Amino acid sequence: MASAIQTGEYLLHVTGHGQRWDILANLYYADANAIGPIVEANRGLFGDLPELPAGLPVGLELKIPVIEMPAIDDRLLPPWKRGK
């Protein structure tokens, strides 16, 4: 998720059963490793816990930062992922 730019806007997500940070990152950013913006936007929900829980409680309202991703050069993608 290098070079992603946060727009300052957020989406609201209410967690369901079995959701984790990586699942949300994959859902919203198509990258399960891109949990950073979501974690940072919601760190205050967990007080002074030294480590955030991997599994999220059901019904938790999370802010999902809206980010802009740079355009991908199709020539760098494998043939089956190119838009042509």
Side-chain angles (χ1 to χ4, degrees):
M1 213 178 96
S3 303
I5 300 169
Q6 287 188 271
T7 66
E9 296 177 12
Y10 295 91
L11 300 173
L12 176 65
H13 178 90
V14 179
T15 56
H17 180 72
Q19 290 192 323
R20 302 182 319 256
W21 300 106
D22 60 331
I23 291 172
L24 296 178
N26 192 54
L27 176 67
Y28 287 100
Y29 304 144
D31 182 354
N33 295 311
I35 66 172
I38 301 171
V39 168
E40 288 305 314
N42 296 284
R43 187 170 295 282
L45 295 175
F46 297 95
D48 293 332
L49 291 177
E51 199 171 293
L52 296 177
L56 298 165
V58 174
L60 185 65
E61 291 186 3
L62 297 175
K63 293 190 302 186
I64 308 296
V66 176
I67 59 174
E68 292 180 11
M69 296 297 291
I72 296 174
D73 185 352
D74 268 4
R75 296 172 295 173
L76 301 175
L77 295 175
W80 61 88
K81 287 198 168 188
R82 294 180 189 155
K84 299 176 184 174

